[in-house]
Amino acid sequence: MEMQIFDFATIANATNNFSSNNKLGQGGFGHVYKGMLKEGKEIAVKRLSKDSGQGFDEFKNEVTLIVKLQHRNLVKLFGCCLKGDERMLIYEYLPNKSLDNFIFDKTRNKLLNWERRFHIIDGIARGLLYLHHDSRLRIIHRDLKASNILLDNDMNPKISDFGLARMFGGDQIEDKTRRVVGTYGYMSPEYAFYGRFSMKSDVFSFGVLILEIITGKRNRGYSDINHNLLEHAWRLWTEGRPVELINKTIGDTDGGNATTSDGTYITSEILRCIHVALLCVQQRPEDRPKMSSVLLMLGGESTLPQPNQPGYFIEKDQLPSATVADCRSRKQSTSSNEVTITMLDAR
């Protein structure tokens, strides 16, 4: 493969022997460290723990896929390091870390005016379009979420963590798995309950991301006990009050405009993004737009179709027993596969 293989001593020296002072973050996979190579290049080292849920297959999958992908909105992989049980991925270092560190933090949230938020939304969309349509491979990410969007010095978004990604053939549009892996709150209904995934699964996750970027609220763990974020957004939309979704740190709405310290933004542009998000999170995959259409809708002024009710993803332990039984019976009647949910939360 066209990538560099680093020896263990080089990475250990670069990270000051994996010092806690160099630690950037951690998750179910292990730890991420900042490093400096002898030539002065800053790197981020993803060191998988031996007990990681991300095993060798996911490690190999990430290496073989991302090394073939080149786009300004995808994180760049410099190489890897293998020694005994050690498995490490060496990435470009992105100083602003991940998107969730901004949109869900009450202090850093204020650093994101609407112009920056829209720039991030647009960049993620362009990265997904490349994965789905424009690269040499057709890639389904399967774990698109705020913590897997990294930000560089200029707040350009870069999609990361391809351990769960899958490659499709030229004519393939859908696949099925017995092992459902991903993160609650971002998974499309057809994938979470039946193991079916496609480009439209990523589109669903992207719609969730748009709403999280605009509201500053997580879909999973949303504070309203009667609604998740998608339900809340849909209720306000149908009641003609979607402007109430806009996070107050962006600015106070005033008719068609809102003013911030950096100038003004057009509320109609934010409402258009909410409209696009609701189109992306519709229950039926065939009703969701392709990423090529999403980009046109985000940047255009044409009339958008009305969205249908979102696919509410409610965790099974929150469902009434009758609903759980119905899900199980439908699953058994349509497939012999036993679908399990594995939660992998990065950073």
Side-chain angles (χ1 to χ4, degrees), residues 181-221:
V181 286
T183 305
Y184 285 129
Y186 295 95
M187 299 162 72
S188 63
E190 72 276 5
Y191 179 49
F193 290 111
Y194 304 109
R196 296 195 299 269
F197 62 93
S198 65
M199 291 182 290
K200 297 301 183 68
S201 307
D202 283 351
V203 171
F204 184 94
S205 302
F206 177 68
V208 174
L209 262 177
I210 294 178
L211 291 176
E212 290 186 333
I213 290 170
I214 290 173
T215 64
K217 304 291 185 182
R218 297 180 188 271
N219 184 37
R220 184 173 185 260

Side-chain angles (χ1 to χ4, degrees), residues 116-132:
R116 283 179 174 171
R117 291 180 198 236
F118 184 78
H119 177 72
I120 290 169
I121 291 171
D122 182 73
I124 298 170
R126 292 180 185 278
L128 273 182
L129 177 63
Y130 172 79
L131 292 176
H132 290 178

Side-chain angles (χ1 to χ4, degrees), residues 37-71:
L37 298 176
K38 287 183 178 180
E39 58 269 29
K41 178 187 291 184
E42 290 184 312
I43 57 173
V45 180
K46 181 178 178 181
R47 188 186 193 189
L48 276 68
S49 70
K50 297 175 184 178
D51 300 326
S52 169
Q54 186 171 350
F56 184 74
D57 287 343
E58 280 92 359
F59 172 85
K60 184 174 66 174
N61 186 66
E62 182 157 8
V63 170
T64 54
L65 285 182
I66 198 170
V67 75
K68 301 175 183 178
L69 302 173
Q70 298 291 332
H71 190 273

Side-chain angles (χ1 to χ4, degrees), residues 149 181 207 216 284 314 321:
I149 305 299
V181 286
R284 291 158 43 94
I314 303 175
S321 57

